[in-house]
Amino acid sequence: TKPVFDALFEGYSFTQHNPVSMAMQGVLDVLQEHHLEKESETLDKFYESVKMRAAGIDNSAGKQRIIVELYDKFFRNAFPKMTERLGIVYTPVEVVDFIIHSVNDALQSEFGQSLGSDNVHIIDPFTGTGTFITRLLQSGLISKERLAYKYQNEIHANEIVLLAYYIAAINIEAVFHDIMGGEYLPFNGICLTDTFQLHEKEDLVSHMMEANSSRRKKQKALDIRVIIGNPPYSAGQKSEMDNNANVAYPKLDKSITQTYALFSSATSTKNLMDSYIRAIRWASDRIGDSGVIGYVSNASFIDGNSMDGLRKCLADEFSSIYVFHLRGNQRTSGELSRQEGGKIFGSGSRAPIAISILIKNPNAAEHGQIYMHDIGDYLSREDKLAKISEFKSISGITEANGWLPITPDKHNDWVGLRDDSFEQFISLGDKKDKDAVTIFENYSLGIGTNRDAWCYNSSQATLADNMHRFIAFYNGEVERYKSACRDLTTAQYPNSDYFVSKDATKISWSSSLIADFNRLKQGSYRQESLTTSFYRPFQKQWLYYDGMFNHRVGQMPHIFPDNRLENRVICVTGRGETVSFTALMTNALPNLHTIASGQC
């Protein structure tokens, strides 16, 4: 990427001043001895095209546009897994400006301060291309007299991806130089770091990048007052075959367990480990008892079943909460999808999106005040961005034209409050309250194999052949691992996630099978495991029914112990699904998605 920056920012001495760039240049110098130029010949056309596009563009807005498009397309194509895991999407300038002005208005109304005030330390913890910081510098909210001091001392940014870090640093420096003129002044407030990891353990590469490491230490000691940004959205990998799991953060995740998860009524709280939820928890802990957070994020926390504990904690921890719901949920279909309107992030995210301004003012007269504004139905992306620009900030939305005060109910619901008379009905089943009056004593999700291509087939003979091959390959991997570990201590064992073959033509992994693999458990083929299954409505298939090679069997072994026993189950639509409720009875073993995530 270095020639790209050289083309875009001729005359800037970024590479001579940035600590990470200097360390990387040292690596590059060593590699150059091995004639790296042969490798880069294939990229020459790409570099030339960038130079052509950059030629004649003498304003930072034009350069930023090239950078952002380059970043977006480069990442989506070069690193699709990283893009998915880190939830990399570019934030529209209209949204960035709205957040910056909203935070400034909140500081003025709540604390009598502004973004330009002394000791108001500002951080973008997931800075991407640096758009939030560049727009902050360009906003006019910090006077020109104060800007140099703020730039050098009280504005901070973190980025974990090297390419994005480079883009952000040089972007911020170029914008500052455009505004202030004079000598080139490097931006010392940016760190190459994982924000969540920052407070978990010490820097692992401090000896290689001492200047970057000292920046991290300095930042950790600061009293941060303002956090702005677009946190990553990622609830986790879709499949164990992806090798793309979210990183675990023990301290942060413990904080979530002791707050959001503790007060949730949901049985599964895995969605609370979504990166954007972690970002909310991290930010609330980071600003302590006073400050302002401005995020644009997935909006599922507003009405998600498993987010009730999060909603309770937000109301408990913050004096004022403003949520501007931008809709755009494209995980819906038909009329509902059209009603949701355009996606703010274009193709970057199919989730509903919201801007949240969270204020902690210990001296506020009232606490836990919640206000919501819904952007409206059937609006295109352009319509939405125009509306956001028109409002300019949360102050542009008044109770008269949009802010709706929210009073949570006893279930910590904010919208679509439930009718408590529903509680008087007899429930179909209840695993939490053993004394509850229920119609059915037991219920279960359908079979989730996590490897339908192997475990299901219309042909019994083909299914048997597939599973023979699958189990033989699995056992071969166990033997290969045993052999690799033979002369090692347990601590030296290779990481099984990276050791095992991910060849989808031979095997399909899931977390449960990896757990069996780690126990060196061998599998065996059993003819009696071939059974009839109700795969989708009105479509039966042969299933290899096995607790080891099906990812989750739930309570089904109690309902259909084997292929000899007859029984009937009623499958009903799972809670929280966006499809209409339906019920379907079957006399065969149902799949998890026979009816959308249905309970049987």
Side-chain angles (χ1 to χ4, degrees), residues 126-270:
F126 322 99
T127 205
T129 56
T131 312
F132 275 87
I133 304 300
T134 56
R135 296 303 291 179
L136 172 64
L137 298 176
Q138 293 166 328
S139 67
L141 295 171
I142 304 171
S143 68
K144 209 165 177 183
E145 295 73 41
R146 296 276 309 138
L147 197 60
Y149 179 81
K150 292 293 285 190
Y151 173 81
Q152 287 181 291
N153 298 285
E154 294 184 357
I155 297 175
H156 315 277
N158 292 341
E159 180 49 51
I160 186 176
V161 179
L162 184 63
L163 175 63
Y165 165 88
Y166 273 161
I167 292 172
I170 205 163
N171 207 3
I172 292 163
E173 289 168 9
V175 166
F176 178 77
H177 193 264
D178 273 1
I179 297 167
M180 300 298 288
E183 284 186 29
Y184 179 81
L185 202 60
F187 177 49
N188 296 322
I190 190 165
C191 296
L192 179 69
T193 189
D194 177 348
T195 292
F196 296 152
Q197 197 75 269
L198 197 59
H199 298 272
E200 296 278 336
K201 59 185 179 186
E202 285 311 304
D203 189 358
L204 297 176
V205 290
S206 55
H207 61 291
M208 296 179 189
M209 292 188 275
E210 289 177 14
N212 186 65
S213 195
S214 67
R215 283 184 186 184
R216 289 171 86 251
K217 287 191 177 82
K218 187 178 173 185
Q219 188 195 109
K220 280 166 77 171
L222 294 173
D223 180 21
I224 299 289
R225 291 289 106 230
V226 170
I227 296 173
I228 51 174
N230 175 1
Y233 324 154
S234 173
Q237 63 186 355
K238 291 181 177 67
S239 160
E240 194 69 34
M241 296 292 282
D242 293 344
N243 239 355
N244 203 31
N246 282 357
V247 178
Y249 303 97
K251 286 181 188 171
L252 180 57
D253 294 349
K254 186 180 179 185
S255 182
I256 291 172
T257 303
Q258 292 173 342
T259 52
Y260 305 161
L262 181 66
F263 294 110
S264 177
S265 59
T267 47
S268 172
T269 53
K270 73 179 176 69

Side-chain angles (χ1 to χ4, degrees), residues 80-87 232-249 269-278 298 307 331 450:
K81 281 189 179 181
M82 185 189 284
T83 303
E84 188 177 318
R85 189 180 79 243
L86 299 178
Y233 324 154
S234 173
Q237 63 186 355
K238 291 181 177 67
S239 160
E240 194 69 34
M241 296 292 282
D242 293 344
N243 239 355
N244 203 31
N246 282 357
V247 178
Y249 303 97
T269 53
K270 73 179 176 69
N271 286 344
L272 293 174
M273 296 307 165
D274 190 307
S275 306
Y276 92 93
I277 301 294
R278 281 172 164 162
N298 188 318
M307 305 292 178
R331 294 195 174 102
N450 274 37

Side-chain angles (χ1 to χ4, degrees), residues 382-551:
E382 290 67 32
D383 293 337
K384 290 179 181 181
L385 294 177
K387 255 195 167 187
I388 294 165
S389 285
E390 191 186 322
F391 284 133
K392 198 170 182 184
S393 120
I394 54 170
S395 302
I397 308 172
T398 64
E399 281 199 44
N401 73 354
W403 284 129
L404 181 69
I406 299 291
T407 305
D409 64 12
K410 66 178 184 181
H411 308 289
N412 298 305
D413 290 338
W414 287 2
V415 294
L417 305 187
R418 65 191 80 177
D419 180 349
D420 276 334
S421 64
F422 186 79
E423 297 295 326
Q424 294 164 22
F425 298 157
I426 298 174
S427 60
L428 288 173
D430 193 328
K431 288 178 182 171
K432 281 193 166 181
D433 182 0
K434 299 297 178 193
D435 300 321
V437 179
T438 61
I439 296 172
F440 296 102
E441 193 172 292
N442 197 11
Y443 61 93
S444 177
L445 286 170
I447 298 293
T449 71
N450 274 37
R451 50 186 69 84
D452 286 6
W454 294 95
C455 293
Y456 280 99
N457 209 287
S458 299
S459 159
Q460 189 179 23
T462 304
L463 176 63
D465 182 51
N466 286 345
M467 288 310 299
H468 269 298
R469 285 189 296 113
F470 184 99
I471 294 166
F473 188 79
Y474 166 82
N475 288 339
E477 288 295 274
V478 171
E479 288 305 320
R480 190 166 71 86
Y481 191 66
K482 278 184 187 172
S483 173
C485 299
R486 192 156 289 141
D487 300 319
L488 305 176
T489 63
T490 310
Q492 295 172 319
Y493 283 8
N495 183 328
S496 56
D497 273 348
Y498 297 100
F499 179 88
V500 296
S501 168
K502 297 290 171 94
D503 183 346
T505 63
K506 294 186 169 67
I507 198 158
S508 180
W509 295 98
S510 61
S511 56
S512 60
L513 193 60
I514 282 284
D516 284 334
F517 178 88
N518 287 332
R519 290 193 290 270
L520 305 178
K521 182 179 178 182
Q522 293 273 6
S524 58
Y525 177 84
R526 294 181 302 121
Q527 187 66 20
E528 61 270 24
S529 290
L530 299 177
T531 190
T532 309
S533 173
F534 197 49
Y535 186 61
R536 292 291 183 270
F538 320 116
Q539 188 208 8
K540 286 184 176 177
Q541 291 254 307
W542 285 101
L543 164 70
Y544 188 80
Y545 180 32
D546 182 282
M548 181 173 175
F549 295 107
N550 301 153
H551 177 58

Side-chain angles (χ1 to χ4, degrees), residues 24-73:
M24 291 301 287
Q25 188 60 49
V27 175
L28 208 58
D29 292 341
V30 173
L31 292 175
Q32 291 291 12
E33 293 171 23
H34 300 276
H35 306 291
L36 199 68
E37 63 273 7
K38 286 177 188 164
E39 297 291 328
S40 64
E41 274 172 22
T42 54
L43 292 168
D44 284 343
K45 282 181 185 171
F46 169 61
Y47 296 142
E48 286 305 315
S49 72
V50 173
K51 281 178 186 169
M52 277 175 66
R53 278 200 67 182
I57 294 177
D58 57 1
N59 63 85
S60 59
K63 287 179 180 176
Q64 280 176 46
R65 197 172 298 115
I66 292 179
I67 280 175
V68 165
E69 285 177 19
L70 191 71
Y71 171 79
D72 199 38
K73 288 174 182 169

